[in-house]
Amino acid sequence: MSHITKLRILSTFVALLLALAGFTSSRLAAQEKQPPQLPLPEMQRLAKLYVGRWEYTETYPKSAFSPNGGVNTGVYISESGPGGNSIFNHFHSKGPVGEFDGVLVMTWDPNEKAYKAYVFGDSFPAALAETGQWEGDSLVFRSEFSVNGMKFALRNTTKFLEGGKLSSDEFSSANGKPETLLVHVEAVKK
């Protein structure tokens, strides 16, 4: 094979590679210019309700968790996560019942057709995983876990009220016993 033939083949090969690279880079550039997909409708609904800064009170009735009961005050800040398909809540409260700091991450699971929430707190190990649905005008999350051979169930019911307010009740049950109120929360968006 002559040098000229080899150069033509090499030149054709390089031109083909450059053409493919140009095609690929132009496709990538076109993809990068497309706006990101909107958050899922379920997350848009939550973002409209949650995103912002909230001040709240936690009212604890007398219970095994809080023998004297009491009222704590706190702040939580909610913001949309990457792509708007999650919401991150950072919360901090303190008062006679104690001081609590944590993060709540909420998202929508299209396979389960349910909200998922993961709570990370300074007063317990690992994460508490919850599953939620709208039940009428209330957003209800449920979870179950075991500690030292006891099975616990939690149910959190949140209602969004007019004027940037919400009301939330956390109920607990141990080993299938009737639920009792663990804490009542009232919050105002600032």
Side-chain angles (χ1 to χ4, degrees):
M1 197 182 296
S2 72
H3 288 288
I4 294 174
T5 305
K6 287 181 184 178
L7 284 174
R8 283 187 184 155
I9 292 172
L10 183 60
S11 171
T12 304
F13 181 70
V14 168
L16 181 60
L17 285 176
L18 289 173
L20 285 173
F23 174 75
T24 302
S25 66
S26 66
R27 284 189 68 198
L28 288 174
Q31 288 175 353
E32 288 174 6
K33 290 179 184 177
Q34 293 177 356
Q37 290 185 342
L38 291 175
L40 296 171
E42 295 82 2
M43 292 309 299
Q44 290 179 32
R45 182 178 183 186
L46 279 194
K48 287 178 187 174
L49 297 170
Y50 271 111
V51 171
R53 182 181 186 278
W54 296 78
E55 293 180 2
Y56 64 95
T57 59
E58 302 168 326
T59 303
Y60 294 88
K62 291 181 181 182
S63 68
F65 173 75
S66 176
N68 297 320
V71 177
N72 281 10
T73 59
V75 172
Y76 74 84
I77 299 172
S78 297
E79 59 188 14
S80 292
N85 283 315
S86 58
I87 294 177
F88 288 78
N89 293 335
H90 180 264
F91 58 89
H92 181 90
S93 70
K94 61 183 175 180
V97 182
E99 188 165 353
F100 306 103
D101 190 37
V103 174
L104 167 70
V105 180
M106 293 183 287
T107 190
W108 175 256
D109 185 331
N111 293 326
E112 287 191 38
K113 294 185 168 67
Y115 290 100
K116 292 296 190 172
Y118 304 92
V119 184
F120 305 88
D122 63 349
S123 58
F124 54 89
L128 176 63
E130 302 175 308
T131 300
Q133 291 286 341
W134 285 98
E135 295 180 11
D137 63 349
S138 296
L139 181 57
V140 180
F141 279 96
R142 291 181 168 81
S143 64
E144 292 183 352
F145 60 95
S146 295
V147 176
N148 298 329
M150 291 186 68
K151 184 177 179 182
F152 293 92
L154 296 177
R155 179 175 61 93
N156 182 283
T157 302
T158 301
K159 289 186 178 191
F160 295 88
L161 310 171
E162 292 184 25
K165 297 179 182 180
L166 68 77
S167 174
S168 184
D169 291 305
E170 182 90 32
F171 297 92
S172 66
S173 171
N175 291 328
K177 291 184 180 176
E179 288 184 331
T180 58
L181 179 65
L182 180 64
V183 62
H184 172 75
V185 176
E186 292 194 17
V188 177
K189 193 183 263 189
K190 295 295 179 175

